[in-house]
């Protein structure tokens, strides 16, 4: 059973906290968390512009704080979802011997979008485009976890 899901991006202040907030709303009852491959923003709340864009869709990211991905996360989660291929490579480089926890691109769950990563809005400044993609992938994830629902 997949009940513990970790979303990972680079800073843990834009894409993965947004994915965490959206997944919490869409998948109540599951254990959802997020982390960054870097330690650049550890302890910080989600980026203000991302918080505002999420709030406009009814998603409150206010209580979240950035943390860095750690090898122990392979044992604490059933599924690790990376926002882009760089994140995925950084995560895989930390895989403990013997762990078979799946690490996938989050966009794998939104094939209809044609996207192979969630573009980083910290650079693109398009927070709504990131949220659109994250919402599509979160819906695909929900359908994959609960095909009958
Ligand atoms: P995120 O975006 O990986 O979606 O949280 C970023 C946030 C900050 C930086 C890079 C990406 N930064 O360079 O500080």
């Amino acid at each position: 059973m997949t009940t513990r899901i970790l979303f990972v991006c680079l800073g843990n202040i834009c894409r993965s906290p947004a994915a965490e907030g959206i997944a919490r709303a869409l998948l109540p009852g599951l254990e959802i968390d997020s982390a960054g491959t870097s330690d650049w923003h550890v302890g910080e709340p989600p980026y203000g512009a991302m918080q505002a864009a999420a709030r406009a869709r009814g998603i409150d990211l206010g209580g979240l704080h950035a943390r860095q991905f750690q090898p122990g996360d392979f044992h604490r989660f059933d599924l690790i979802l990376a926002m882009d291929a760089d994140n995925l490579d950084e995560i895989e480089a930390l895989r403990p011997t013997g762990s078979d926890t799946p690490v996938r691109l989050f966009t794998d769950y939104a094939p209809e979008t044609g996207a192979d990563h969630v573009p980083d809005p910290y650079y693109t400044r398009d927070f709504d485009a990131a949220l659109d993609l994250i919402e599509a992938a979160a819906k695909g994830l929900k359908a994959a976890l609960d095909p009958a629902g």
Side-chain angles (χ1 to χ4, degrees), residues 9-16 40-41 120-123:
C9 62
L10 174 58
N12 195 209
I13 57 169
C14 290
R15 294 166 294 172
S16 63
W40 300 343
H41 298 280
D120 193 337
Y122 193 75
Y123 302 115

Side-chain angles (χ1 to χ4, degrees), residues 37 74 82 84-95 103 105:
T37 57
F74 276 94
D84 63 37
D86 286 342
N87 307 150
L88 191 141
D89 288 348
E90 298 259 354
I91 296 163
E92 284 292 358
L94 296 174
R95 180 185 289 278
V103 181
L105 287 172

Side-chain angles (χ1 to χ4, degrees), residues 25-124:
L26 212 54
L27 296 162
L30 296 196
E31 191 181 319
I32 310 278
D33 195 10
S34 66
T37 57
S38 77
D39 66 359
W40 300 343
H41 298 280
V42 168
E44 293 178 22
Y47 193 60
M50 179 53 98
Q51 282 204 52
R55 198 179 308 120
R57 298 176 186 220
I59 304 289
D60 179 12
L61 305 180
L64 304 179
H65 292 93
R67 73 169 179 91
Q68 188 172 23
F69 181 83
Q70 51 191 232
D73 287 321
F74 276 94
H75 301 302
R76 283 192 280 275
F77 294 93
D78 305 309
L79 177 62
I80 299 172
L81 294 172
M83 298 298 138
D84 63 37
D86 286 342
N87 307 150
L88 191 141
D89 288 348
E90 298 259 354
I91 296 163
E92 284 292 358
L94 296 174
R95 180 185 289 278
T97 306
S99 167
D100 60 2
T101 303
V103 181
R104 299 187 60 182
L105 287 172
F106 190 30
T107 48
D108 287 356
Y109 292 93
E112 75 282 2
T113 65
D116 64 359
H117 69 292
V118 181
D120 193 337
Y122 193 75
Y123 302 115
T124 68

Side-chain angles (χ1 to χ4, degrees), residues 122-133:
Y122 193 75
Y123 302 115
T124 68
R125 312 310 295 175
D126 196 340
F127 295 89
D128 275 309
L131 286 170
D132 286 345
L133 199 45

